Every structure is written in C-alpha cells, then in structure tokens.
Coordinates of all heavy atoms in Angstrom, one line a residue:
N1 N 198.5 245.3 113.5 CA 197.9 246.6 113.8 C 198.7 247.3 114.9 O 198.9 248.5 114.9 CB 196.4 246.4 114.2 CG 195.6 246.2 112.9 OD1 196.0 246.6 111.8 ND2 194.4 245.6 113.1
N2 N 199.1 246.5 116.0 CA 199.9 247.1 117.1 C 201.1 247.8 116.5 O 201.6 248.8 117.0 CB 200.3 246.0 118.1 CG 199.1 245.5 118.9 OD1 198.0 246.2 118.9 ND2 199.2 244.4 119.5
A3 N 201.8 247.1 115.6 CA 203.0 247.6 114.9 C 202.7 248.9 114.1 O 203.4 249.9 114.3 CB 203.6 246.5 114.1
K4 N 201.6 248.8 113.4 CA 201.2 249.9 112.5 C 201.0 251.2 113.4 O 201.3 252.3 113.0 CB 200.0 249.6 111.7 CG 199.7 250.5 110.6 CD 198.6 250.0 109.7 CE 198.2 250.9 108.6 NZ 197.1 250.5 107.8
N5 N 200.4 251.0 114.6 CA 200.0 252.1 115.4 C 201.2 252.9 116.0 O 201.1 254.0 116.4 CB 199.2 251.6 116.6 CG 197.8 251.2 116.2 OD1 197.3 251.6 115.2 ND2 197.1 250.4 117.0
V6 N 202.4 252.2 115.9 CA 203.7 252.9 116.3 C 204.6 253.1 115.1 O 205.8 253.2 115.3 CB 204.4 252.2 117.5 CG1 203.6 252.4 118.8 CG2 204.6 250.8 117.2
N7 N 204.0 253.2 113.9 CA 204.7 253.5 112.7 C 205.7 252.4 112.3 O 206.8 252.7 111.7 CB 205.4 254.8 112.8 CG 204.4 256.0 112.7 OD1 203.4 255.9 112.0 ND2 204.7 257.1 113.3
I8 N 205.5 251.1 112.7 CA 206.2 250.0 112.1 C 205.4 249.6 110.9 O 204.4 248.9 111.0 CB 206.4 248.9 113.1 CG1 206.8 249.4 114.5 CG2 207.3 247.8 112.5 CD1 208.0 250.2 114.5
T9 N 205.8 250.0 109.7 CA 204.9 249.9 108.5 C 205.0 248.6 107.8 O 204.0 248.2 107.1 CB 205.2 251.0 107.5 OG1 206.6 250.9 107.2 CG2 205.0 252.4 108.1
K10 N 206.1 247.9 108.0 CA 206.3 246.6 107.3 C 207.0 245.6 108.2 O 207.8 246.0 109.1 CB 207.0 246.7 106.0 CG 206.3 247.6 104.9 CD 207.2 247.7 103.7 CE 206.5 248.6 102.6 NZ 206.6 250.0 103.0
V11 N 206.8 244.3 108.0 CA 207.5 243.3 108.7 C 208.0 242.3 107.7 O 207.4 242.0 106.7 CB 206.7 242.6 109.8 CG1 206.2 243.6 110.8 CG2 205.5 241.8 109.2
I12 N 209.1 241.6 108.0 CA 209.6 240.5 107.2 C 209.5 239.3 108.0 O 210.2 239.1 109.1 CB 211.1 240.7 106.7 CG1 211.2 242.0 105.9 CG2 211.6 239.5 105.9 CD1 212.6 242.4 105.5
N13 N 208.6 238.4 107.7 CA 208.3 237.2 108.4 C 209.3 236.1 108.0 O 209.3 235.8 106.8 CB 206.9 236.8 108.2 CG 206.3 236.0 109.4 OD1 207.0 235.8 110.4 ND2 205.1 235.4 109.2
N14 N 210.0 235.5 108.9 CA 211.0 234.5 108.5 C 210.6 233.0 108.9 O 210.3 232.7 110.0 CB 212.3 234.8 109.3 CG 213.1 235.9 108.7 OD1 214.2 235.7 108.2 ND2 212.6 237.1 108.7
G15 N 210.6 232.2 107.9 CA 210.4 230.8 108.1 C 211.7 230.1 108.6 O 212.8 230.6 108.4
C16 N 211.5 228.9 109.1 CA 212.7 228.1 109.6 C 212.6 226.6 109.3 O 213.5 225.9 109.5 CB 213.0 228.4 111.0 SG 211.6 228.1 112.1
D17 N 211.4 226.2 108.9 CA 211.2 224.8 108.5 C 210.0 224.7 107.5 O 209.4 225.8 107.2 CB 210.9 223.9 109.7 CG 209.7 224.4 110.5 OD1 208.9 225.2 110.1 OD2 209.6 223.9 111.7
N18 N 209.7 223.6 107.1 CA 208.6 223.5 106.0 C 207.3 224.0 106.5 O 206.6 224.8 105.8 CB 208.5 222.1 105.5 CG 207.7 222.0 104.2 OD1 208.1 222.7 103.2 ND2 206.6 221.2 104.2
K19 N 206.9 223.7 107.7 CA 205.6 224.2 108.3 C 205.6 225.7 108.3 O 204.6 226.3 107.9 CB 205.4 223.6 109.7 CG 204.1 224.0 110.4 CD 204.1 223.6 111.8 CE 202.8 224.1 112.5 NZ 202.8 223.8 113.9
S20 N 206.6 226.3 108.9 CA 206.6 227.8 108.9 C 206.8 228.4 107.6 O 206.2 229.5 107.3 CB 207.7 228.3 109.9 OG 209.0 227.8 109.5
N21 N 207.5 227.8 106.7 CA 207.6 228.3 105.3 C 206.3 228.4 104.6 O 205.9 229.4 103.9 CB 208.6 227.5 104.5 CG 210.0 227.7 104.9 OD1 210.4 228.7 105.5 ND2 210.9 226.7 104.6
I22 N 205.5 227.3 104.8 CA 204.1 227.3 104.2 C 203.3 228.4 104.8 O 202.5 229.1 104.1 CB 203.5 225.9 104.4 CG1 204.2 224.9 103.6 CG2 202.0 226.0 104.1 CD1 203.8 223.4 103.9
E23 N 203.4 228.6 106.1 CA 202.6 229.7 106.7 C 203.1 231.1 106.3 O 202.2 232.0 106.1 CB 202.6 229.6 108.3 CG 201.6 230.5 108.9 CD 201.4 230.2 110.4 OE1 202.0 229.2 111.0 OE2 200.6 230.9 111.0
V24 N 204.4 231.3 106.1 CA 204.9 232.5 105.6 C 204.2 232.9 104.2 O 203.7 234.0 104.0 CB 206.4 232.5 105.4 CG1 206.9 233.6 104.5 CG2 207.2 232.5 106.7
I25 N 204.2 231.9 103.3 CA 203.6 232.1 102.0 C 202.1 232.5 102.2 O 201.6 233.4 101.5 CB 203.7 230.9 101.1 CG1 205.2 230.6 100.9 CG2 203.0 231.1 99.8 CD1 206.0 231.7 100.2
D26 N 201.4 231.8 103.0 CA 200.0 232.1 103.3 C 199.8 233.5 103.8 O 198.9 234.2 103.3 CB 199.4 231.0 104.2 CG 197.9 231.3 104.5 OD1 197.1 231.4 103.6 OD2 197.5 231.4 105.7
L27 N 200.6 233.9 104.8 CA 200.4 235.2 105.4 C 200.8 236.3 104.5 O 200.1 237.4 104.6 CB 201.2 235.2 106.7 CG 200.7 234.3 107.9 CD1 201.7 234.2 109.0 CD2 199.3 234.8 108.4
I28 N 201.9 236.2 103.8 CA 202.3 237.3 102.9 C 201.3 237.6 101.8 O 201.1 238.7 101.3 CB 203.7 237.2 102.4 CG1 203.8 236.0 101.4 CG2 204.7 237.1 103.5 CD1 205.2 235.8 100.8
N29 N 200.5 236.5 101.4 CA 199.5 236.7 100.4 C 198.3 237.3 101.0 O 197.4 237.9 100.3 CB 199.2 235.3 99.8 CG 200.3 234.8 98.9 OD1 201.0 235.6 98.3 ND2 200.4 233.5 98.8
K30 N 198.1 237.3 102.3 CA 196.9 237.9 103.0 C 197.2 239.3 103.5 O 196.2 240.1 103.5 CB 196.6 237.0 104.2 CG 195.9 235.7 103.9 CD 195.5 235.0 105.2 CE 194.9 233.7 104.9 NZ 194.7 232.9 106.2
H31 N 198.4 239.6 103.9 CA 198.7 240.9 104.5 C 199.6 241.8 103.7 O 200.8 241.4 103.4 CB 199.3 240.7 105.9 CG 198.4 239.9 106.8 ND1 197.3 240.4 107.5 CD2 198.5 238.6 107.2 CE1 196.8 239.5 108.2 NE2 197.4 238.4 108.1
N32 N 199.1 242.9 103.3 CA 199.9 243.8 102.4 C 201.2 244.3 103.1 O 202.2 244.5 102.3 CB 199.0 245.1 102.1 CG 197.9 244.7 101.1 OD1 198.0 243.8 100.4 ND2 196.9 245.6 101.2
N33 N 201.2 244.4 104.4 CA 202.4 245.0 105.0 C 203.4 243.9 105.5 O 204.3 244.2 106.3 CB 202.0 245.9 106.2 CG 201.2 245.2 107.2 OD1 200.6 244.2 107.0 ND2 201.1 245.7 108.5
M34 N 203.2 242.7 105.1 CA 204.1 241.6 105.5 C 204.8 241.0 104.2 O 204.2 240.7 103.2 CB 203.3 240.5 106.2 CG 204.2 239.3 106.6 SD 203.3 237.9 107.3 CE 202.9 238.6 108.9
Y35 N 206.1 240.9 104.4 CA 207.0 240.3 103.3 C 207.5 239.0 104.0 O 207.5 238.8 105.2 CB 208.0 241.2 102.9 CG 207.5 242.4 102.1 CD1 206.9 243.5 102.7 CD2 207.5 242.4 100.7 CE1 206.4 244.5 102.0 CE2 207.0 243.4 100.0 CZ 206.4 244.5 100.6 OH 205.9 245.6 99.9
G36 N 208.1 238.1 103.1 CA 208.6 236.9 103.7 C 210.0 236.5 103.3 O 210.5 236.9 102.2
A37 N 210.6 235.7 104.2 CA 211.8 235.0 103.9 C 211.5 233.5 104.2 O 210.9 233.2 105.2 CB 213.0 235.5 104.7
I38 N 212.0 232.6 103.3 CA 211.8 231.2 103.6 C 213.1 230.4 103.5 O 214.0 230.8 102.7 CB 210.8 230.6 102.5 CG1 211.1 230.9 101.1 CG2 209.3 231.0 102.9 CD1 210.2 230.3 100.1
G39 N 213.3 229.5 104.4 CA 214.5 228.8 104.5 C 214.4 227.7 105.5 O 213.4 227.6 106.3
I40 N 215.5 226.9 105.7 CA 215.6 225.8 106.7 C 216.7 226.2 107.7 O 217.8 226.3 107.3 CB 215.8 224.5 106.0 CG1 214.6 224.1 105.1 CG2 215.9 223.4 107.1 CD1 214.8 222.9 104.2

C-alpha cells in the first residue's frame, strides 16, 4: 500500500532459495499487484 500511494503500481518479488520461492508463489496468488521470479 505504501508503494501504491506513490504510484508504484506493481512489484516483482524475487526468490533466492526454496523457502523464499514457496513464499513468492503464495504471495503472488494473494496480491494482484505482485508478480514473481523464482530461482536459486
């Protein structure tokens, strides 16, 4: 919301290990303005 308030309309959330990759998938499914990259 802080980002949206200054016209940052989308974010690309980057994973870096299995734990964060799993969280990326969970979050992008919850938040319309978030996209994901997954990798190690």
